[in-house]
Amino acid sequence: MKSESPAPHYRMRIVTSLSEIAPLVWDSLVADQAHANPFLSYAFLSALEESGSAIEETGWQACFITIWDGEQLEAALPLYEKTHSYGEYVFDWAWAKAYKRHGFDYYPKLLSAIPFTPVTGSRLLARNELAQRALITALQDLQQAGDYSSSHLLFLPEEQVRLLSEEGYLLRKSVQFHWKNQGYQCFDDFLDTLDKKKRKNIRAERRKVHDADIQFRHVRGQDMQDDDWHFFKSCYDQTYEEHHSSPYLNLDFFLRIGKGMAENIHLILALRDGNKIAASLLIHDTQHVYGRYWGCLETHPCLHFETAYYQSIEFCIQERIAIFEGGAQGEHKMARGFLPTTTWSAHHLSHAEFSDAVSNFLVRESRDIALYLNELHEHTPYKILKHIEASAT
């Protein structure tokens, strides 16, 4: 599908399958971004599609906006037509209900995000600002021409937030919890920066796992075998079952990323009496570790904290990786050295009255988020930060 050129020398094309773009062409554009991450790679996005995890039948119809200058891919926006709000982690269910109460359809809507992945990264993939603005224009035209209720861009870097704000998009804040490596040489170096109570609690939690005779094995993506993926998938499914929900991702997806982006994958296995009992899957690059999925087939006190957090922190320290993003939500992470971090999304609603109502809601929500962040900062687990805050008062 083509439309009129949104900018001189550019042509716009909607891509309904990533297979329409050569992998090297896509990855070359991604590599050119300041806020690239492994989830933007051709290997990850194509695995979602080819495994059937994020396709029209599951409510994720790809309609990527691409901007071309001749044969050169100048810009792209990962975009999906959504018929529900599952797998997004920025919740707009109340907006959908308000539309329904007033006799309007909220779905389908347009969503720019990585399916099932609450990780900040570039959405307006572009080689220059002109191409970036062409993407926004094309998105606005598509929203209007397709009679969509709204468009949403989730987990944006701040410079793209500013750009979208200039174009009239409503901004929304959320909170995640990230661990930052301060050049630690070992786990005890990290513990020494925490206040006494937090340090004592973490040592007690790790001791419980050790006393249960549980050992850990780290497996790099290049060394993973199919049976590792099968075991991990059983743990992943168990987590969803315990939460009375259905898993978003299938085994084929995991096997595909295992082959397509092995250098970005790290598996942590927990073993007891030589048998695998739990697993945590990390996706990483040289600067970030992303804790994605965890699950266990046996329950033991503090096994989750050790497998999903402490072993991952040790991995960061060993590899000199700066930031560990532990996933969506989770105030309990603060007691384990994670600090609150603001995440951003941008929203454009076609209906003026609903746009005004959502704008008012977001003003109130933003004030609540600010109060929440202030409260969280008052409970920092770090000695130095407490000393700084005490000095400031």
Side-chain angles (χ1 to χ4, degrees), residues 275 277 291 296 306 349:
N275 299 312
I277 64 169
C296 64
E306 181 65 39
L349 286 83

Side-chain angles (χ1 to χ4, degrees), residues 13-16 18 26 45 62-66 77-80:
R13 181 160 64 97
I14 299 294
V15 171
T16 57
L18 200 57
W26 180 268
L45 291 172
C63 50
F64 287 23
I65 296 175
T66 60
L77 177 71
L79 187 69
Y80 296 88

Side-chain angles (χ1 to χ4, degrees), residues 1 12-21 26 29-30 39-42 44-49 54 60-68 73 75-81 110-115 123 125 135 138-139 142 148:
M1 170 179 146
M12 189 273 281
R13 181 160 64 97
I14 299 294
V15 171
T16 57
S17 171
L18 200 57
S19 63
E20 298 176 41
I21 302 175
W26 180 268
L29 176 64
V30 171
F39 306 103
L40 290 164
S41 69
Y42 191 96
F44 191 87
L45 291 172
S46 64
L48 287 167
E49 178 185 333
W60 294 84
Q61 172 57 58
C63 50
F64 287 23
I65 296 175
T66 60
I67 305 292
W68 301 80
L73 180 60
L77 177 71
L79 187 69
Y80 296 88
E81 179 183 288
L110 294 172
L111 180 83
S112 179
I114 308 303
R123 300 291 173 257
L125 308 173
L135 278 179
L139 174 60
L142 178 62
Y148 294 101

Side-chain angles (χ1 to χ4, degrees), residues 81-94:
E81 179 183 288
K82 288 294 302 296
T83 54
H84 55 68
S85 293
Y86 292 104
E88 298 177 13
Y89 302 94
V90 175
F91 303 112
D92 62 351
W93 296 105

Side-chain angles (χ1 to χ4, degrees), residues 97-355:
K97 288 179 180 177
Y99 265 67
K100 186 175 182 179
R101 281 198 307 270
H102 289 82
F104 294 94
D105 293 326
Y106 190 68
Y107 305 108
K109 64 178 184 178
L110 294 172
L111 180 83
S112 179
I114 308 303
F116 325 118
T117 308
V119 170
T120 293
S122 184
R123 300 291 173 257
L124 301 166
L125 308 173
R127 299 189 189 276
N128 55 62
E129 186 176 337
L130 183 63
Q132 199 171 53
R133 290 189 180 276
L135 278 179
I136 298 173
T137 299
L139 174 60
Q140 293 169 335
D141 290 346
L142 178 62
Q143 180 178 341
Q144 183 175 5
D147 199 25
Y148 294 101
S149 72
S150 51
S151 59
H152 311 262
L153 299 92
L154 310 185
F155 300 102
L156 294 158
E158 289 193 23
E159 55 267 35
Q160 294 185 9
V161 169
R162 289 192 293 270
L163 181 60
L164 288 161
S165 178
E166 292 171 7
E167 297 293 334
Y169 283 73
L170 304 176
L171 304 184
R172 190 177 191 184
K173 291 182 182 179
S174 301
V175 177
Q176 289 185 349
F177 297 86
H178 298 172
W179 178 88
K180 296 184 178 180
N181 189 348
Q182 303 298 329
Y184 305 123
Q185 297 301 305
C186 62
F187 195 87
D188 279 343
D189 284 352
F190 155 59
L191 286 183
D192 286 344
T193 65
L194 301 178
D195 68 32
K196 183 177 180 180
K197 182 179 179 181
K198 299 295 189 298
R199 186 166 62 246
K200 181 180 179 181
N201 287 345
I202 290 174
R203 284 181 171 144
E205 288 175 348
R206 303 200 81 183
R207 194 178 305 115
K208 287 178 182 178
V209 177
H210 178 269
D211 290 348
D213 197 27
I214 297 172
Q215 294 85 39
F216 291 87
R217 180 160 62 91
H218 288 236
V219 186
R220 296 184 181 274
Q222 297 93 327
D223 300 324
M224 288 181 65
Q225 305 297 316
D226 281 359
D227 65 325
D228 293 319
W229 283 114
H230 281 79
F231 174 75
F232 165 75
K233 181 61 165 59
S234 65
C235 293
Y236 169 80
D237 289 347
Q238 179 65 24
T239 297
Y240 276 87
E241 184 176 326
E242 289 173 0
H243 289 85
H244 308 289
S245 60
S246 300
Y248 292 126
L249 302 170
N250 55 35
L251 180 61
D252 185 45
F253 166 78
F254 289 113
L255 292 175
R256 285 178 182 274
I257 64 169
K259 293 174 182 174
M261 50 187 293
E263 69 278 6
N264 300 116
I265 291 172
H266 191 85
L267 181 68
I268 299 170
L269 294 170
L271 301 96
R272 187 168 183 266
D273 297 328
N275 299 312
K276 292 181 280 192
I277 64 169
S280 178
L281 184 70
L282 309 179
I283 305 292
H284 68 93
D285 53 27
T286 58
Q287 292 299 312
H288 287 75
V289 162
Y290 306 93
R292 293 309 303 125
Y293 311 106
W294 122 277
C296 64
L297 303 186
E298 286 186 15
T299 57
H300 295 272
C302 303
L303 180 59
H304 171 229
F305 302 139
E306 181 65 39
T307 311
Y309 301 148
Y310 304 145
Q311 290 290 320
S312 301
I313 288 173
E314 289 200 334
F315 174 68
C316 289
I317 293 171
Q318 176 184 328
E319 299 296 322
R320 291 181 164 79
I321 294 175
I323 297 174
F324 172 28
E325 298 191 18
Q329 305 167 334
E331 292 178 16
H332 63 278
K333 296 170 186 168
M334 282 195 71
R336 291 154 187 96
F338 292 74
L339 292 176
T341 302
T342 300
T343 60
W344 292 92
S345 57
H347 311 266
H348 187 276
L349 286 83
S350 299
H351 194 288
E353 265 188 64
F354 280 103
S355 182

